Amino acid sequence: MAQLPPGIRFIISFSRDQWYRAFIFILTFLLYASFHLSRKPISIVKGELHSYCTASNDGKVGISSQSQKVRDAPAHQLPDNGTNCGWAPFDEDNYQQLLGALDYSFLCAYAVGMYLSGIIGERLPIRYYLTFGMLASGAFTALFGVGYFYNIHSFGFYVITQIINGLVQTTGWPSVVTCLGNWFGKGRRGLIMGVWNSHTSVGNILGSLIAGYWVSTCWGLSFIVPGAIVAAMGILCFLFLIEHPKDIACSSSPAMYPRGYENGAHRFRPQKPVPAEKPLDPEMQRLLLSDGKHSGHQNHVVILPADGGGGMAAISFTGALKIPGVIEFSLCLLFAKLVSYTFLFWLPLYITSVDHLDVKKAGELSTLFDVGGIFGGILAGVISDRLEKRASTCGLMLLLAAPTLYAFSSISKMGLEATIAMLLLSGALVSGPYALITTAVSADLGTHKSLKGNSHALATVTAIIDGTGSVGAALGPLLAGLISPSGWNNVFYMLMFADACALLFLIRLIHKELSCPGSATGDQVPFKEH
């Protein structure tokens, strides 16, 4: 009998369950990467919405930007002083505040909507919920670019578009994290989700390259093309997303996963009986009680009664807040995401100002920050898995990030090579804690042992943590817009202060991890691989 071809041998070397897990991993990776792809164009186009002009010898105003659209714009679009020009209303001296308001509109709506999104997502089929969000997000991302073709100069039009887009994009994160949590157990969760969370950086890189391709010639396409991509991915989501392995008769978790819990709505089936009486340690009792008093009563565990269908009721918002570590990691993420999103929305403009590059090259160079973020997220996951200390890993990277940001503000002015090096290093240290908290930590807390198997908490906990972080994401770009006119150094001082605050909120959990290993997120030690 002839030997099987190498490709066929490779295919059959993996089980059916492994192939489905790989498929869901890749699909959810691409789905959320497309969300981030659609968020990036606004940071690339900022330099085109407000492009500098120079006065020529004959007194005419010459536009330094390469945009033919702006070059041929009617005279009424140019400011009276003739010192700068761009796309009205962003052609005035207050353009930084207006651009900051656009960022704030999107991110504030995203933060508010995120708190509701997780609760809604727990009660709706993930596939339908995510498909709706992606189609709507694609439409409103493209609508921003339509303003270019229809010569729309109303600031309110762009603000409203950003607000609605921010709201519909909240469907993404709780959905993909819950779906991934359904398919993967806790073994090597930090590594798996560290690799998976690189979708953030991949999406940012692709968004920068796509938006940068058209920014100088037709910036409307910088939004319309990413919007079409998001909508197309929404169709793929509807056609192919499998919410839970049970839906296709796969095992609920990889073989290495020692527990019998399954995540997903109405699908919790313990394979082993859960001990009815197990006293909680004093620290957990303090965390589960809002008044901070000691109590050994079991009824303080965050668990809801069965809903009559054999499952457990979805956890309440206040119930999710009582899970040990949720509040601390949420507040930490608020400041960590403030730093990350300030870079996301303002880095290209900063590079343009400091290195004197055109808009397209600045956008391409800014992708190096996201390249560093890929390595930072994976490194944080690997270290936290090995040490079994999520909070300590985040704390170490935050501690190193603050002086790195100070060095960035000084060294990046020394030339292009210095800027490249600092972009990679800063991207790794800034994105590492952010990636770890939004993925592995959120999944750990959403399946915390204090829940006693209530599998409905994952999307709610994820939404609370990321929603709180999104408050910082809204504040960061807004503050950058307000502070940058006084000098970019002041923006970096603000970012260093935010990193210090993020570290401060983790101090108690770090101390707890060092004195009682594996306790900050609850149950890492029992799930250790042997």
Side-chain angles (χ1 to χ4, degrees), residues 284-358:
M284 183 173 290
Q285 293 171 23
R286 288 195 295 272
L287 289 168
L288 293 176
L289 289 173
S290 58
D291 58 3
K293 296 180 181 180
H294 293 270
S295 174
H297 298 295
Q298 193 73 7
N299 60 353
H300 289 295
V301 174
V302 186
I303 183 171
L304 298 175
D307 59 3
M312 294 183 177
I315 193 170
S316 66
F317 183 86
T318 55
L321 288 177
K322 292 180 181 179
I323 299 173
V326 167
I327 293 178
E328 289 92 337
F329 277 113
S330 296
L331 294 174
C332 172
L333 185 63
L334 187 152
F335 290 99
K337 207 167 181 179
L338 183 153
V339 177
S340 180
Y341 268 66
T342 300
F343 275 96
L344 174 67
F345 283 91
W346 285 92
L347 182 57
L349 189 61
Y350 170 77
I351 294 174
T352 301
S353 302
V354 173
D355 293 314
H356 307 292
L357 299 175
D358 62 36

Side-chain angles (χ1 to χ4, degrees), residues 65-367:
S65 169
Q66 300 175 11
S67 174
Q68 186 63 38
K69 178 75 176 182
V70 178
R71 183 179 292 114
D72 297 334
H76 70 271
Q77 293 182 18
L78 299 176
D80 295 335
N81 57 19
T83 57
N84 57 59
C85 56
W87 188 268
F90 308 104
D91 55 353
E92 302 294 339
D93 292 337
N94 66 338
Y95 73 98
Q96 289 174 309
Q97 287 79 8
L98 295 179
L99 293 173
L102 284 184
D103 298 338
Y104 185 74
S105 300
F106 174 89
L107 294 168
C108 188
Y110 186 87
V112 173
M114 184 59 74
Y115 288 109
L116 300 175
S117 181
I119 297 174
I120 297 172
E122 292 283 7
R123 293 159 174 80
L124 295 176
I126 288 177
R127 183 166 62 93
Y128 296 143
Y129 189 54
L130 185 55
T131 298
F132 164 78
M134 300 192 76
L135 292 175
S137 178
F140 284 98
T141 299
L143 185 62
F144 195 104
V146 169
Y148 172 87
F149 295 98
Y150 284 88
N151 207 28
I152 298 175
H153 298 280
S154 169
F155 181 65
F157 169 82
Y158 296 106
V159 169
I160 293 174
T161 301
Q162 287 286 83
I163 289 174
I164 300 177
N165 197 12
L167 288 174
V168 297
Q169 285 219 3
T170 60
T171 60
W173 189 244
S175 299
V176 294
V177 171
T178 300
C179 185
L180 198 73
N182 290 340
W183 280 88
F184 291 89
K186 298 198 176 198
R188 293 182 294 178
R189 173 173 278 172
L191 172 61
I192 291 172
M193 287 198 160
V195 174
W196 178 77
N197 193 65
S198 63
H199 57 56
T200 299
S201 297
V202 171
N204 291 340
I205 292 171
L206 293 176
S208 298
L209 296 177
I210 293 172
Y213 184 81
W214 281 289
V215 65
S216 297
T217 55
C218 181
W219 64 258
L221 290 177
S222 296
F223 291 91
I224 291 177
V225 173
I229 293 174
V230 175
M233 293 304 300
I235 296 174
L236 290 180
C237 172
F238 178 79
L239 294 176
F240 295 107
L241 184 66
I242 306 170
E243 177 180 341
H244 198 280
K246 191 74 174 177
D247 297 336
I248 200 166
C250 288
S251 62
S252 61
S253 59
M256 69 183 74
Y257 185 57
R259 297 286 179 125
Y261 300 145
E262 296 182 7
N263 293 323
H266 310 291
R267 292 190 180 90
F268 170 70
R269 298 182 182 179
Q271 297 171 357
K272 296 181 181 180
V274 179
E277 295 291 336
K278 185 177 181 181
L280 299 175
D281 60 84
E283 179 65 17
M284 183 173 290
Q285 293 171 23
R286 288 195 295 272
L287 289 168
L288 293 176
L289 289 173
S290 58
D291 58 3
K293 296 180 181 180
H294 293 270
S295 174
H297 298 295
Q298 193 73 7
N299 60 353
H300 289 295
V301 174
V302 186
I303 183 171
L304 298 175
D307 59 3
M312 294 183 177
I315 193 170
S316 66
F317 183 86
T318 55
L321 288 177
K322 292 180 181 179
I323 299 173
V326 167
I327 293 178
E328 289 92 337
F329 277 113
S330 296
L331 294 174
C332 172
L333 185 63
L334 187 152
F335 290 99
K337 207 167 181 179
L338 183 153
V339 177
S340 180
Y341 268 66
T342 300
F343 275 96
L344 174 67
F345 283 91
W346 285 92
L347 182 57
L349 189 61
Y350 170 77
I351 294 174
T352 301
S353 302
V354 173
D355 293 314
H356 307 292
L357 299 175
D358 62 36
V359 177
K360 182 177 181 180
K361 290 182 179 178
E364 293 172 350
L365 187 61
S366 69
T367 61

Side-chain angles (χ1 to χ4, degrees), residues 405-466:
L405 291 175
Y406 178 79
F408 190 127
S409 64
S410 302
I411 297 177
S412 60
K413 299 175 183 178
M414 297 180 181
L416 189 59
E417 294 79 8
T419 300
I420 292 174
M422 294 310 300
L423 281 172
L424 292 170
L425 181 59
S426 299
L429 294 176
V430 167
S431 300
Y434 163 40
L436 187 62
I437 293 174
T438 55
T439 53
V441 169
S442 295
D444 287 346
L445 295 175
T447 53
H448 193 275
K449 63 185 178 183
S450 66
L451 294 167
K452 305 296 283 185
N454 186 352
S455 60
H456 292 214
L458 184 54
T460 301
V461 170
T462 300
I464 289 174
I465 293 177
D466 198 51

Side-chain angles (χ1 to χ4, degrees), residues 477-500:
L478 176 66
L479 292 175
L482 296 174
I483 296 172
S484 57
S486 64
W488 286 105
N489 282 341
N490 293 329
V491 175
F492 279 95
Y493 293 145
M494 180 266 291
L495 297 179
M496 286 185 279
F497 177 75
D499 259 331

